[in-house]
Amino acid sequence: MRLVSKAIEKVTPEIRKLAEDMFETMYAAPGIGLAAIQVAQPVRLITMDLAKPDENGETKPRPRVFINPEILSKSEELSVYEEGCLSIPEYYEEIERPARVRVRFTDLDGKVA
């Protein structure tokens, strides 16, 4: 994980396949997020699914892909959550992060959001 990730110039079939494979790995772990660098791909791509169970206890997947993500702003308010890392299984720690962030990224359709 000492490699520097490179920007993705274009959404290609290979990038789509990488995202698909990353979701498979992430869900199997199980995890809620995975960066390409964690699977030895030094490109700026993150997969994430923060879906929560509904009132019936069922969770409908809400997969998201972030290509070349940039943090534009963050709140001064902080939140603390227990987090784990798929690169270091079975290890969890309380982490303090901004409660809200505003990001810019490209999706798998090549649209900047």
Side-chain angles (χ1 to χ4, degrees):
M1 295 223 305
R2 290 187 172 94
L3 296 174
V4 175
S5 296
K6 295 179 181 156
I8 294 171
E9 300 296 324
K10 183 178 177 185
V11 179
T12 63
E14 293 81 15
I15 292 298
R16 291 176 194 277
K17 176 68 170 135
L18 174 59
E20 181 182 315
D21 291 347
M22 287 172 59
F23 276 118
E24 185 177 319
T25 299
M26 184 186 83
Y27 289 132
I32 62 169
L34 186 64
I37 196 74
Q38 291 177 276
V39 292
Q41 297 296 316
V43 294
R44 296 186 60 216
L45 188 146
I46 298 169
T47 56
M48 188 182 307
D49 190 337
L50 303 178
K52 301 217 186 268
D54 63 18
E55 60 275 353
N56 298 322
E58 296 180 28
T59 303
K60 180 181 176 191
R62 293 181 46 201
R64 305 272 317 262
V65 175
F66 299 81
I67 297 171
N68 301 328
E70 298 174 68
I71 296 174
L72 301 176
S73 63
K74 58 187 176 182
S75 67
E76 290 187 30
E77 178 187 353
L78 300 174
S79 292
V80 177
Y81 294 96
E82 183 179 76
E83 295 185 19
C85 178
L86 298 183
S87 298
I88 309 170
E90 308 288 321
Y91 181 78
Y92 299 90
E93 187 69 36
E94 294 276 317
I95 303 293
E96 187 176 71
R97 298 194 188 274
R100 289 172 303 285
V101 294
R102 197 169 136 234
V103 297
R104 176 175 38 222
F105 61 93
T106 302
D107 66 16
L108 282 178
D109 295 322
K111 296 178 185 166
V112 176

